[in-house]
Amino acid sequence: MKAFIKGLILKRFFLFLVLSFKILNANDLEFDTLKSDFTQIITNQNKSITYSGHFIIDSKFGAFWQYKEPNLKFVYFSKTNITILEPDLEQAVITQISDAPDLLTLLSGAKQINKSTFEANFDDVKYRIFTQNALPVQINYTDKLGNDVKITLKNTHKNEVINKELLEPKIPQNYDIITN
């Protein structure tokens, strides 16, 4: 059950990040590919946990996220599903993207607050997206569980050629496969 809830939170987080970049795309920050290092800090009741890693997005093909801390995890997005590989657990979780709420509402409702700040509402959560030099640098929101989430992006590059094989999950034969 804990893994399912964790997977659901990760699913929403990744969907939001992919969508936030599409929102930015609709607001003069166009890209075909985007890659960046990230740090995500989740705070609740004076306790926090920090995640860090790297991601690569191809706006037409999909995305790959690698969490390095606190645990190694690989997350792959395609147009139809999300695959999460957890080496410590030797498992793969595959979820259909069609299970997600209507995301077009978020895209059409995004508003540019000022030159470097955008705001979007999705599933009763307000997201603030900050940019610098036409690149996203930070995303802040409070999730439905009351967690304050701050995602900081560094070493961000857009429109560089990427190897599309990096965006395809390769599930080891010995992994348990869980589908939602």
Side-chain angles (χ1 to χ4, degrees):
M1 180 70 164
K2 188 176 179 181
F4 174 75
I5 292 171
K6 197 177 197 184
L8 184 60
I9 290 170
L10 281 173
K11 176 182 170 182
R12 287 183 181 258
F13 165 69
F14 291 121
L15 283 173
F16 169 73
L17 283 177
V18 169
L19 289 174
S20 69
F21 295 127
K22 289 186 179 193
I23 289 167
L24 294 173
N25 183 25
N27 291 295
D28 298 329
L29 290 180
E30 296 180 7
F31 69 89
D32 290 323
T33 64
L34 189 69
K35 61 183 180 177
S36 182
D37 297 325
F38 70 89
T39 302
Q40 175 186 6
I41 301 171
I42 301 173
T43 305
N44 189 331
Q45 300 176 353
N46 299 323
K47 295 180 183 178
S48 66
I49 185 166
T50 301
Y51 298 91
S52 64
H54 181 79
F55 69 81
I56 301 169
I57 297 172
D58 182 303
S59 63
K60 295 176 182 152
F61 190 76
F64 166 69
W65 299 80
Q66 178 183 11
Y67 276 88
K68 296 178 182 178
E69 297 290 333
N71 297 319
L72 187 61
K73 185 178 298 200
F74 306 99
V75 182
Y76 299 85
F77 283 85
S78 72
K79 293 181 190 254
T80 58
N81 60 42
I82 301 167
T83 302
I84 302 170
L85 301 180
E86 298 192 60
D88 292 344
L89 301 175
E90 293 186 351
Q91 75 177 18
V93 178
I94 303 171
T95 303
Q96 296 287 322
I97 288 181
S98 62
D99 295 341
D102 180 13
L103 303 176
L104 294 175
T105 305
L106 175 64
L107 294 175
S108 63
K111 297 178 183 174
Q112 187 167 3
I113 304 303
N114 60 42
K115 182 179 178 185
S116 63
T117 307
F118 297 81
E119 190 173 280
N121 290 300
F122 177 69
D123 200 20
D124 298 324
V125 176
K126 183 191 299 186
Y127 298 88
R128 286 219 159 202
I129 306 152
F130 301 93
T131 62
Q132 184 175 27
N133 300 323
L135 293 171
V137 294
Q138 188 173 19
I139 301 164
N140 298 339
Y141 62 97
T142 300
D143 68 17
K144 287 186 172 185
L145 300 174
N147 299 308
D148 291 321
V149 181
K150 177 181 176 181
I151 304 160
T152 305
L153 306 177
K154 293 185 178 179
N155 302 319
T156 305
H157 301 277
K158 66 179 180 177
N159 298 329
E160 292 185 354
V161 175
I162 60 168
N163 180 353
K164 299 231 185 329
E165 287 184 21
L166 296 173
L167 304 175
E168 296 177 15
K170 293 168 185 61
I171 302 172
Q173 288 184 340
N174 63 319
Y175 275 34
D176 293 327
I177 299 175
I178 301 166
T179 56
N180 294 339

